[in-house]
Each structure stands twice: as C-alpha cells, then as structure tokens.
Amino acid sequence: ETGVTQSPTHLIKTRGQQVTLRCSSQSGHNTVSWYQQALGQGPQFIFQYYREEENGRGNFPPRFSGLQFPNYSSELNVNALELDDSALYLCASSFDGQGYGYTFGSGTRLTVV
Amino acid sequence: GQNIDQPTEMTATEGAIVQINCTYQTSGFNGLFWYQQHAGEAPTFLSYNVLDGLEEKGRFSSFLSRSKGYSYLLLKELQMKDSASYLCAVEAAGNKLTFGGGTRVLVKP
C-alpha cells in the first residue's frame, strides 16, 4: 500500500496550452476525486470518477476533463489554459466514494504564465 | 447552494488552546471533516463527525451541532508544528467534499 501519488509535482505552462496531470490511487481504492486549490483558499471540487465513469462534477468548464483507467489511476486534462488555472491540483482516492476513507496526494503545483 | 465559513487566520501561543469555528449551509449532510494542511503539502485527516457531540483524539477534539450547522476544532497544548492551515469540509450528496477557505493558525513561542 503506497498511498496516493501525483505527477509531476511542479509544472509551468503558457496560457493557451494544454496540460495533463496524473494520479495513482491507493491500492484497493476505486474512486478518485480531483480538487483545485488556489493559493490561500480551500480546495474546490472539480469532478469524481468511480469505476472509470464520471459520477459528479463541480462548477468547472468543459475544458477540464478526466479519465480513470482500469487500474484506477487517473488523469486530469485542462485545455486552453488560463492564468487563473494556476493552482495546486489535488487528487483523492477512496473506496466506493466513502469520504471517511479519503486519501489525498501531495498535489501538482501548476503555474500558468 | 453550499456555503462553509471559517476564520481566515488565528494566532496563539505555544502550550495554549485554540478553537477554530466552522459554520455551514449545505444541501445534504453526510458528515463533517477537519483536515490539517501544511504549506505545499496534502491535507491530512484529523477528524470526522457524523453525530452531534464531541469527538476527542489526543490533543485534538472536534464538535458538531447539526441543528445549528456548526462545528469547531479544538487544539490543546499547542506545539510549533501545529502551525498550519485547518480545513473544514462537509460531505454531502454523492460523497463529494465541500471545503471552507481554511484557517491559518500561527503558533508563536
């Protein structure tokens, strides 16, 4: 059991570019949620995947999309990057979406210039 | 809608007690979480309240009143390492977490 790992840890992109962030879930966890945390603020829910299907989405535009794979690893894709997308992106895995069992990764710090 | 309020910042002295309040208005309620987050790191789980009352775990205690939409996190015998942000989060429908803005606690010697 290795916990939740995210890659890369830091990333700098230019406005208008596309980015893919990756998350490896904790062993046995079939649910992954992604959060955006701007500096000095609490995390904001982006979306959740359960058994490779999106089953909930927060107030984020369609240029934020995701995938979950059979091994329960997942990706967050952001197209047409904007300066306001600069944030810490956190993924959290759990079993059957049970919040009590949430395990967060250390996040990817994305800077858009 | 979802609304979770907590103070932005608090300062306390090493060895003292600090209470961080959280009020919430959410559509649905499954439980309330408190997380600790050091700068640039992942949130780490502190407590989970489902029923009204006080849950004690070592130096940390958390209280919930569902009828008042209110919770607090109590940190006793403060240590320098407790300097961090503390996040209140409500689990509502669909097991999604809605977070407050976080309370930055600064412990001074």
Side-chain angles (χ1 to χ4, degrees):
Chain A
E1 186 172 292
T2 57
V4 178
T5 57
Q6 293 187 242
S7 62
T9 53
H10 295 84
L11 197 56
I12 299 175
K13 288 286 191 177
T14 303
R15 189 172 49 183
Q17 284 188 313
Q18 179 266 344
V19 69
T20 297
L21 310 181
R22 294 180 173 83
C23 173
S24 176
S25 298
Q26 181 162 314
S27 177
H29 283 186
N30 55 17
T31 307
V32 66
S33 303
W34 285 90
Y35 292 82
Q36 180 196 65
Q37 187 175 23
L39 198 62
Q41 298 182 21
Q44 299 294 312
F45 175 72
I46 303 175
F47 45 57
Q48 178 173 282
Y49 278 80
Y50 172 68
R51 295 186 175 181
E52 303 174 56
E53 297 279 338
E54 183 181 299
N55 76 334
R57 189 176 184 93
N59 189 27
F60 281 80
R63 59 190 185 84
F64 286 77
S65 63
L67 283 173
Q68 186 184 31
F69 302 101
N71 66 354
Y72 302 136
S73 65
S74 68
E75 290 180 352
L76 164 65
N77 299 289
V78 187
N79 294 323
L81 283 166
E82 301 176 359
L83 296 180
D84 285 350
D85 295 333
S86 295
L88 180 68
Y89 288 85
L90 297 163
C91 76
S93 72
S94 64
F95 179 72
D96 280 355
Q98 294 172 23
Y100 184 77
Y102 263 47
T103 301
F104 280 89
S106 296
T108 294
R109 171 71 63 186
L110 173 66
T111 302
V112 182
V113 298
Chain B
Q2 317 280 69
N3 192 43
I4 299 176
D5 289 317
Q6 50 181 129
T8 305
E9 191 170 295
M10 302 180 75
T11 301
T13 305
E14 194 175 14
I17 298 172
V18 70
Q19 177 175 316
I20 306 170
N21 295 323
C22 171
T23 57
Y24 64 89
Q25 291 177 304
T26 58
S27 49
F29 179 88
N30 290 346
L32 187 142
F33 292 83
W34 285 96
Y35 287 88
Q36 181 191 61
Q37 186 179 29
H38 287 97
E41 297 182 9
T44 55
F45 171 82
L46 290 177
S47 68
Y48 177 56
N49 292 70
V50 177
L51 302 176
D52 289 354
L54 187 68
E55 295 276 344
E56 296 186 83
K57 192 184 296 184
R59 295 189 298 115
F60 296 82
S61 303
S62 58
F63 172 82
L64 175 67
S65 170
R66 289 172 297 170
S67 62
K68 296 181 179 178
Y70 169 71
S71 173
Y72 68 74
L73 178 69
L74 197 68
L75 285 64
K76 295 178 260 188
E77 299 170 21
L78 279 172
Q79 302 175 10
M80 298 300 291
K81 68 178 181 179
D82 297 329
S83 292
S85 286
Y86 292 84
L87 302 166
C88 172
V90 171
E91 181 186 24
N95 304 114
K96 284 77 173 173
L97 292 183
T98 300
F99 284 85
T103 299
R104 192 166 59 213
V105 172
L106 177 62
V107 181
K108 294 186 172 181

